[in-house]
Amino acid sequence: MSAATSDQPSRLVLTRALPDAAMNRLRARHDAWVNPHDRTLTPDELRQAVCGHEPDAVLAMAMDRLDAPALMAFPPSVKVLATLSVGHEHIDLEAARRRGLVVLHTPDILSDAVAEMAILLLLAAARRAHEGAQLLYEGRWGGWSPTQLLGRDVTGGRLGIFGMGRIGRTIARRASRGFDMKVHYHNRSRLPVEQEEGATYVGDRDAFLSASDFLVIAAPSSEATRGFLGAATIAKLPPGAIVVNIARGDLVDDEALVAALRSGRIASAGLDVFNNEPRIFEAYKTLPNVFLQPHQGSSTMGTRVRMAELLLEGIDAALAGRPVQNRLA
Ligand code: DGY
């Protein structure tokens, strides 16, 4: 790849191939090396790709580990690191700042898609969708019955949202307008009223939990939120609560959640994210009252293409020295 000047394409390393529509756009304006595998690069492969191609920018994914050693190994050519995710716990931002990198992510643009996934999981968990599908796929369905797989009414239910960022607020809007849910939220601090989507702020965490017949975890992964849902927090939920996680797996203590799902202390769960992806805590697969998805929150064609476009525009702007809104560092 040749060095970028104002009239030459910039050079990118992509840690995963993007949908065709985004790849076509990218190839028209950038000179890119793309991970040829259908998997995340190992840390060694990532280092070799970046050092070997000396790009202007690296377009990475939430599954790439971009810790201080990885960032410090980037050659001097790299000016921008862009991640195809809103979450950024995989990037050592302090090290990125020290290294003088501009870091970009994809806020806002995926909130609708992720909120849709939260509603899908909420409905699937409440209406026992996994058990229903199993009846059919395993040929065990004996026909309609007035007592078959009785689920829970979502409409009018009490929903607690842990983490009222852009995604949490979109979930609140969908749940209250679509399903008349009574929504309350817990956050580090109360939002301005015009951003609350009619939801009630509950600053006391125990009070928040005890009113959450439905709980959606939508907070970013951080030191403060890791392990949020464990034995102690589960004990504060109403018996038979329903839990959804669209945030990050490390907000949940898997052993505690599985124990609560087995005992019925938690009636059911819908999970899109896991500790140690792509491996998942095996016991989840044995439980009928869990509805699982493989980290699909932002996975719609439109959203993924828009995420890629936002990053490509940001990379162009940052390399040209223009201000970029979706900048983390
Ligand atoms: C995000 O944007 O953070 C999604 O979870 C994809 O990684």
Side-chain angles (χ1 to χ4, degrees):
M1 290 190 284
S2 56
T5 64
S6 54
D7 51 4
Q8 276 186 319
S10 49
R11 302 162 308 174
L12 307 186
V13 158
L14 264 74
T15 68
R16 293 300 290 267
L18 302 172
D20 285 349
M23 287 308 296
N24 294 340
R25 177 162 184 269
L26 181 145
R27 297 230 187 260
R29 295 181 29 208
H30 303 270
D31 182 2
W33 177 89
V34 184
N35 170 8
H37 309 292
D38 188 19
R39 61 165 173 78
T40 300
L41 296 172
T42 65
D44 260 0
E45 289 172 332
L46 177 62
R47 188 177 39 74
Q48 280 167 23
V50 180
C51 292
H53 293 89
E54 301 199 344
D56 303 298
V58 175
L59 202 163
M61 312 290 138
M63 306 309 139
D64 296 314
R65 186 146 38 91
L66 296 157
D67 52 15
L71 299 181
M72 294 308 169
F74 280 6
S77 63
V78 181
K79 310 283 184 308
V80 184
L81 169 62
T83 180
L84 194 83
S85 61
V86 65
H88 51 80
E89 71 289 341
H90 56 298
I91 303 174
D92 184 332
L93 288 180
E94 200 36 59
R97 279 184 203 107
R98 281 204 305 277
R99 167 65 182 69
L101 288 171
V102 171
V103 182
L104 311 176
H105 71 149
T106 60
D108 291 322
I109 213 149
L110 45 60
S111 300
D112 287 328
V114 179
E116 286 171 8
M117 176 57 73
I119 298 292
L120 170 73
L121 296 176
L122 191 72
L123 292 173
R127 300 301 300 273
R128 304 175 66 175
H130 180 205
E131 290 167 272
Q134 275 182 321
L135 269 188
L136 292 165
Y137 284 115
E138 294 170 7
R140 291 187 287 109
W141 189 40
W144 188 91
S145 146
T147 55
Q148 175 185 289
L149 291 183
L150 301 180
R152 289 263 290 283
D153 292 311
V154 167
T155 300
R158 294 186 302 171
L159 169 65
I161 300 180
F162 178 65
M164 195 71 158
R166 287 168 276 232
I167 293 173
R169 300 202 290 272
T170 310
I171 296 168
R173 196 158 62 242
R174 304 276 180 271
S176 58
R177 293 194 194 159
F179 298 98
D180 297 329
M181 296 189 89
K182 296 169 194 67
V183 185
H184 58 284
Y185 71 97
H186 182 73
N187 232 16
R188 270 172 307 188
S189 54
R190 186 174 174 181
L191 297 174
V193 72
E194 64 278 10
Q195 288 183 19
E196 286 186 313
E197 301 293 347
T200 305
Y201 177 62
V202 184
D204 180 78
R205 202 167 76 163
D206 289 354
F208 163 78
L209 290 165
S210 67
S212 299
D213 296 318
F214 299 88
L215 172 70
V216 173
I217 301 173
S221 166
S222 71
E223 268 183 38
T225 62
R226 249 163 249 144
F228 157 72
L229 193 72
T233 30
I234 288 171
K236 302 287 180 198
L237 289 169
I242 289 175
V243 168
V244 163
N245 187 9
I246 47 84
R248 285 290 185 261
D250 63 5
L251 274 76
V252 170
D253 173 340
D254 292 322
E255 291 199 12
L257 179 55
V258 164
L261 285 161
R262 280 203 176 115
S263 71
R265 183 67 183 70
I266 287 183
S268 55
L271 307 175
D272 183 48
V273 286
F274 304 91
N275 283 300
N276 306 315
E277 294 178 12
R279 289 188 302 279
I280 77 167
F281 196 66
E282 284 295 313
Y284 287 129
K285 296 189 217 160
T286 68
L287 294 173
N289 49 344
V290 186
F291 184 82
L292 304 173
Q293 284 291 294
H295 202 149
Q296 293 269 86
S298 62
S299 179
T300 70
M301 182 62 83
T303 298
R304 284 284 159 79
V305 171
R306 284 193 293 275
M307 288 165 77
E309 283 178 348
L310 181 72
L311 293 183
L312 293 175
E313 277 160 23
I315 289 170
D316 289 349
L319 290 176
R322 298 195 301 272
V324 191
Q325 279 200 340
N326 51 317
R327 185 173 172 168
L328 284 165

